[in-house]
Amino acid sequence: MPEKIVTNKDMEKFIDTTDEWIQERTGIKQRHVAAEGETTCDMIERASLRAIAAAGIDATEIDMVILGTTTPDLIFPSTACLLQERLGIPGTAAFDINAACSSFIYALSIADQYIKSGMAKKVLVGGAETLTRAMDWNDRTTAVLFADGAGAVVLEAATEPGVLSTHIHADGRYADLLGTDVGVSVGFKNEHNGGLKISMKGRDVFKMAVRTLGKIVDETLADNNMDKSEIDWLIPHQANLRIISATAKKLEMPMEKVIITVDRHGNTSAASVPLALDEGIRSGRIKRGDMLLLEAFGGGFTWGSALIRY
Ligand code: UT7
């Protein structure tokens, strides 16, 4: 996470909102915001070095870098290429994946296929965002939600533990419910932040998120012939505590079995699932052998899940 923290109380000073509203409607208490000049690549570099250390490998053993991000440093080269250079591993495949808040699950799914097919041995998979640069700080419907951060894992071939299955989907018919108003080939202006800002029809997104995440949980369990009681931990995308609670309820899981970071991190989009995974593991709550269900939902719409035996 970047060091700088902006609390709800801080936001009250420049936007028409209250700490009470934000906590009640989203569960968010504070969020981390990248410092001036601090980039997506800076954060994912730090996260990657920690993931590499945690995996007990040397960076040179990595043969593929996949980064989930919607807020790359540049349009191109990809942030994965910038990261690869910083890690000193030239020649490895490196590319970004943009599936909004589901980007990390998409990246994990791709990495899993490469490893299972034998085409890659060790893959660095990350999710990283500087979403606060893409939003309008004066728009209370989005500014209180989004945040910055990065998380990473190293995947390698093994019979177990590991990724049991991944599931990814999208539906472009909902593209206008959540996204940026301008891009490179649409509406770009060389003034006022390039016209860049996130807009969202929050209520519609909320309903779709709850419904869709419920469905992907069913799909994941069915594909693995598994009962919901076999899931030890839910590691959800951290958009809204109420959305997370709805998925937990569907799984009949007590909230103690759900990793929550939204209160301190806000919605870090592609970074939220790996950050929650990191917190669950480093805090010692998630133990070897535990069954983890990761899920995410984001703009596009996109959504996905991964079932993992830790
Ligand atoms: O990560 C990608 C996926 N994203 C999501 O999953 C987000 C999904 N959506 C949500 O989490 C929720 O819809 C929000 C948190 C964005 C909004 O919560 P809500 O309960 O759906 O509120 P609402 O949009 O229905 O707004 C309720 C009221 C409105 O006032 P009126 O029209 O009832 O007078 C808003 O203008 O709250 C007002 N409002 C605010 N008030 C204080 C909206 N934003 C704020 C704010 N502070 N920041």
Side-chain angles (χ1 to χ4, degrees):
M1 308 300 300
E3 267 179 35
K4 186 177 165 190
I5 290 174
V6 176
T7 64
N8 293 348
K9 285 273 174 211
D10 294 332
M11 297 207 89
E12 283 180 0
K13 290 177 198 141
F14 59 87
I15 214 168
D16 180 20
T17 192
T18 59
D19 175 38
E20 195 190 2
W21 189 94
I22 303 171
Q23 286 211 43
E24 194 182 295
R25 307 311 295 164
T26 73
I28 298 169
K29 296 183 178 136
Q30 60 169 51
R31 72 282 297 138
H32 290 247
V33 175
E36 205 176 328
E38 188 175 25
T39 70
T40 296
C41 195
D42 294 335
M43 290 186 286
I44 191 60
E45 181 186 3
R46 293 199 294 270
S48 299
L49 291 173
R50 288 193 195 176
I52 289 164
I57 63 159
D58 192 82
T60 53
E61 294 172 54
I62 291 167
D63 48 15
M64 182 175 276
V65 178
I66 312 178
L67 177 63
T69 184
T70 316
T71 45
D73 283 22
L74 306 166
I75 305 297
F76 69 90
S78 69
T79 305
C81 284
L82 305 179
L83 174 65
Q84 184 230 47
E85 190 274 332
R86 293 197 196 183
L87 296 176
I89 47 174
T92 59
F95 54 95
D96 289 356
I97 284 291
N98 175 355
C101 297
S102 313
S103 297
F104 177 77
I105 299 283
Y106 267 63
L108 194 68
S109 181
I110 295 165
D112 185 44
Q113 304 314 309
Y114 267 94
I115 285 184
K116 284 187 175 142
S117 72
M119 285 225 357
K121 299 270 175 294
K122 290 193 172 83
V123 185
L124 176 68
V125 184
E129 304 281 10
T130 39
L131 269 181
T132 62
R133 299 237 167 89
M135 71 188 195
D136 177 355
W137 279 89
N138 297 312
D139 176 3
R140 69 175 184 174
T141 66
T142 52
V144 300
L145 306 175
F146 296 108
D148 305 330
V153 299
V154 175
L155 247 68
E156 67 177 316
T159 43
E160 65 174 32
V163 178
L164 300 180
S165 71
T166 60
H167 309 258
I168 55 175
H169 299 279
D171 192 337
R173 287 175 300 175
Y174 297 98
D176 61 351
L177 287 186
L178 170 57
T180 59
D181 291 346
V182 303
V184 181
S185 77
V186 175
F188 188 82
K189 300 183 234 78
N190 276 323
E191 56 190 20
H192 308 306
N193 206 21
L196 188 59
K197 77 178 182 78
I198 297 171
S199 52
M200 174 166 76
K201 297 193 173 75
R203 218 173 296 181
D204 297 337
V205 176
F206 186 100
K207 284 188 214 142
M208 275 294 284
V210 170
R211 204 176 325 139
T212 308
L213 289 169
K215 274 199 247 164
I216 201 153
V217 163
D218 288 340
E219 175 186 333
T220 309
L221 292 172
D223 265 29
N224 290 279
N225 278 328
M226 195 176 271
D227 187 78
K228 53 190 165 203
S229 60
E230 293 174 67
I231 306 291
D232 296 305
W233 291 99
L234 175 63
I235 302 172
H237 171 49
Q238 310 279 326
N240 187 320
L241 191 57
R242 289 184 289 142
I243 298 175
I244 296 173
S245 306
T247 311
K249 197 168 165 200
K250 168 146 185 103
L251 283 166
E252 291 172 16
M253 286 180 92
M255 289 309 275
E256 299 80 63
K257 288 296 195 179
V258 183
I259 305 291
I260 306 286
T261 58
V262 68
D263 53 335
R264 286 149 295 132
H265 294 178
N267 181 351
T268 60
S269 187
S272 90
V273 173
L275 279 166
L277 178 65
D278 183 67
E279 180 161 309
I281 290 172
R282 285 186 200 269
S283 66
R285 294 167 71 197
I286 296 175
K287 304 260 184 306
R288 281 284 170 205
D290 282 354
M291 190 64 75
L292 318 181
L293 178 59
L294 282 55
E295 47 86 336
F297 179 87
F301 287 138
T302 58
W303 60 99
S305 66
L307 190 68
I308 296 175
R309 168 84 69 190
Y310 177 60

